[in-house]
Amino acid sequence: MKRKKICELLKGSSQLDNVLVKGWLRTRRDSKTFSFLEINDGSCLKNIQVIADSTLDNYTEITKLTIGSAVGIRGKLVKSQGKGQDMEIQAQSIEIISLAPESYPLQKKRHTDEFLRTIAHLRPRTNKYGAIFRIRSELSYAIHKFFRDKGFKYIHTPIITGSDCEGAGEMFRVTTLKPDQKIKKGYVEDFFGQETNLTVSGQLSAEMFALALGDVYTFGPTFRAENSNTSRHAAEFWMVEPEMAFCDLEDDMDLAEEMINFLITHILDNCAEDIQLFAKFVDKKLMTTLENIRAGAFLRLPYSDAVDILRKSGKKFEYEVKFGKDLQSEHERYLTEQHFKKPVIIYNYPKEIKPFYMRLNDDDLTVAAMDVLVPGIGEIIGGSQREDRSEVLVERMDELGQFPGDYWWYIDSRKYGTVPHSGFGLGFERTLMLLTGVKNIRDVIPFPRTPGSIEF
């Protein structure tokens, strides 16, 4: 007999005979002739109550069940006579699949996030982390649904690359050379014959397909060897990167805004129970923040105007506000949470602080770049119109110290039927932080990779 998921049973209201449920014991209470078991199988936040009476053949063993033990319950689903649940199972047989020791670390008490990071292999069994990772799963589906419904094609871009998309050099080296082997003659003895890294972005490859298929997107892991231990940075993270042919910066901003609103609405509609956990225990302002984001159009503001607002704010920032410097998280959050109190899209950044692939504006000072800033997070999306003029592209590479020969194929695409095209990158984990109110990126990734941490 196929087992039933608890989420399915709790949605219904009709009695069912001969139901099979399998899961893990959350709590057990014993009376003189009954044991009350709370079972969870991870399919939803709620447990299902199981009534085990003393007539069961293995009742003595049942009364010794420990938290974390795995069981199989066969019985009758009936309306509950107690408070707190609509349905419960009257057990006809209980199989003890495995017995957890008394030392099981997830006892019935509140555990800190710091402690749970040390047992990342077990933390999905807690209410909070089970909810996070169910939302993560649903958010992944929502992303694919959004793009599929809009006619985008899903592209798999390389994880191993010889290109540095961002030009920052903070990349993980991929090599087959032994530690004591010296690099000779330009990596000719290495597997790929040249310096090779883990990708920081699938954008450059996605552009090639946008120039063939029109609208495409890539969604996968990216890597950055940035020695940062902040709550917003990880060495391995996921990015959603659409690319659109025949689109300018305005189109890019429109898609970014539409996508964020779609994702928030989808998660609120499909993960209501899990979201409520975060609204109650993690961030009391979560629902207000999410509703505020989708309440109206995002404000659009040139970078120069944003700098003026910050300089005249009278607020003391840790990092200097100056034209030609990138905005920091404290600046972004001031604009969205205090000054405008809504999402803001900053555009037309100084060319000196942006990568070579962003289209140079007619003022020769700024590029057609945009960042989407949201309350509680700051930057959640970064994008631009791409530079489609090959001669300008090469000049920008030279200015930023990058060798055009390494990107011959990228430049080549500007020779044959080039068109205006745009795209952006959405930080998947930062979107999860927005949706849940969780403040540390380590807590929305199953097994976080940060400096000095790769235990699991």
Side-chain angles (χ1 to χ4, degrees):
M1 177 182 175
K2 187 177 180 182
R3 71 181 179 93
K4 293 286 187 179
K5 292 184 178 180
I6 290 174
C7 65
E8 298 170 345
L9 295 179
L10 293 178
K11 285 179 182 178
S13 58
S14 57
Q15 297 190 164
L16 295 173
D17 292 324
N18 200 27
V19 169
L20 176 63
V21 169
K22 295 185 178 182
W24 295 269
L25 181 70
R26 287 291 179 86
T27 64
R28 192 197 79 238
R29 293 183 294 110
D30 299 323
S31 67
K32 290 183 179 180
T33 56
F34 292 93
S35 275
F36 298 89
L37 312 180
E38 294 285 334
I39 306 298
N40 189 283
D41 64 359
S43 63
C44 61
L45 182 63
K46 290 182 178 178
N47 306 323
I48 195 163
Q49 179 170 276
V50 176
I51 312 299
D53 67 45
S54 58
T55 61
L56 293 174
D57 293 340
N58 59 343
Y59 184 71
T60 301
E61 287 74 23
I62 291 169
T63 61
K64 296 177 182 178
L65 281 172
T66 51
I67 294 174
S69 296
V71 294
I73 312 290
R74 190 183 297 277
K76 185 175 182 179
L77 182 72
V78 298
K79 290 188 179 297
S80 178
Q81 300 302 310
K83 296 180 179 180
Q85 65 275 329
D86 295 326
M87 308 297 288
E88 63 187 17
I89 296 177
Q90 293 178 348
Q92 295 164 342
S93 67
I94 296 180
E95 175 193 5
I96 300 174
I97 298 171
S98 68
L99 193 66
E102 295 285 352
S103 59
Y104 181 66
L106 295 176
Q107 296 300 312
K108 191 180 179 183
K109 64 178 182 178
R110 187 78 59 90
H111 298 286
T112 66
D113 292 328
E114 290 75 17
F115 168 71
L116 291 172
R117 287 175 206 144
T118 68
I119 53 168
H121 59 305
L122 296 177
R123 67 178 181 170
R125 299 188 191 184
T126 66
N127 285 341
K128 177 180 178 180
Y129 286 92
I132 284 175
F133 298 123
R134 281 190 294 271
I135 293 171
R136 186 178 176 113
S137 173
E138 188 64 29
L139 183 62
S140 298
Y141 166 76
I143 286 165
H144 289 298
K145 176 175 172 55
F146 174 79
F147 286 117
R148 189 178 188 279
D149 289 351
K150 296 186 74 65
F152 280 66
K153 306 304 179 191
Y154 180 34
I155 306 299
H156 298 144
T157 53
I159 290 176
I160 300 174
T161 180
S163 304
D164 182 359
C165 178
E166 298 300 320
E170 296 167 335
M171 305 181 76
F172 288 102
R173 182 77 50 80
V174 176
T175 181
T176 56
L177 295 176
K178 296 178 181 178
D180 58 349
Q181 262 184 292
K182 293 184 178 179
I183 298 172
K184 300 175 183 178
K185 300 177 183 178
Y187 295 89
V188 293
E189 296 180 1
D190 209 347
F191 187 89
F192 290 104
Q194 69 176 75
E195 183 177 344
T196 311
N197 307 287
L198 295 179
T199 186
V200 299
S201 170
Q203 176 205 312
L204 302 187
S205 299
E207 281 188 57
M208 302 304 99
F209 278 80
L211 294 173
L213 304 182
D215 295 337
V216 303
Y217 73 104
T218 181
F219 177 22
T222 53
F223 309 84
R224 187 159 299 179
E226 182 178 0
N227 190 16
S228 173
N229 267 303
T230 75
S231 61
R232 289 159 38 97
H233 294 92
E236 178 182 345
F237 51 97
W238 282 60
M239 291 288 290
V240 182
E241 298 177 287
E243 289 291 331
M244 302 165 287
F246 309 103
C247 289
D248 59 16
L249 185 64
E250 196 74 23
D251 299 317
D252 206 29
M253 292 189 283
D254 289 344
L255 183 74
E257 182 173 343
E258 183 183 355
M259 182 178 188
I260 289 175
N261 284 327
F262 175 87
L263 296 179
I264 290 175
T265 299
H266 183 93
I267 294 301
L268 290 179
D269 289 347
N270 292 276
C271 300
E273 183 182 60
D274 287 328
I275 287 293
Q276 283 301 319
L277 179 145
F278 295 99
K280 184 176 181 180
F281 296 109
V282 176
D283 182 358
K284 303 287 188 183
K285 298 180 180 179
L286 178 61
M287 298 307 296
T288 301
T289 298
L290 296 178
E291 293 296 348
N292 178 47
I293 289 173
R294 61 177 187 166
F298 293 9
L299 188 138
R300 301 185 183 186
L301 187 73
Y303 165 88
S304 57
D305 290 357
V307 169
D308 286 342
I309 290 171
L310 292 166
R311 293 181 65 181
K312 295 174 182 177
S313 68
K315 184 175 176 61
K316 288 187 177 181
F317 295 106
E318 181 182 353
Y319 293 93
E320 180 186 17
V321 178
K322 183 179 179 181
F323 189 93
K325 288 193 171 185
D326 213 350
L327 300 182
Q328 301 297 317
S329 177
E330 59 176 341
H331 307 142
E332 297 166 349
R333 295 190 63 176
Y334 172 80
L335 291 170
T336 58
E337 296 171 27
Q338 297 184 45
H339 189 82
F340 293 111
K341 297 182 180 180
K342 65 184 301 183
V344 179
I345 304 179
I346 308 293
Y347 63 95
N348 287 350
Y349 281 81
K351 66 178 183 179
E352 292 83 7
I353 61 174
K354 291 297 181 181
F356 66 88
Y357 55 76
M358 296 185 174
R359 196 179 204 281
L360 186 65
N361 289 326
D362 293 339
D363 60 12
D364 200 35
L365 297 173
T366 62
V367 290
M370 65 92 177
D371 287 339
V372 179
L373 318 178
V374 293
I377 300 294
E379 181 194 340
I380 196 169
I381 283 178
S384 72
Q385 184 173 337
R386 315 311 190 188
E387 183 55 76
D388 56 284
R389 300 162 295 184
S390 59
E391 67 281 0
V392 179
L393 183 62
V394 171
E395 288 175 6
R396 288 285 291 142
M397 287 181 176
D398 288 336
E399 286 177 13
L400 296 173
Q402 289 176 287
F403 181 51
D406 291 341
Y407 299 88
W408 65 269
W409 53 275
Y410 188 74
I411 299 170
D412 201 48
S413 68
R414 271 56 177 174
K415 294 179 182 178
Y416 307 113
T418 187
V419 300
H421 59 286
S422 303
F424 61 76
L426 168 76
F428 183 64
E429 281 77 21
R430 288 192 183 181
T431 307
L432 277 166
M433 292 168 70
L434 170 68
L435 290 166
T436 60
V438 171
K439 303 304 180 186
N440 198 312
I441 195 170
R442 294 167 178 80
D443 298 328
V444 295
I445 301 177
F447 300 104
R449 300 305 189 225
T450 54
S453 176
I454 195 167
E455 187 171 3
F456 300 97

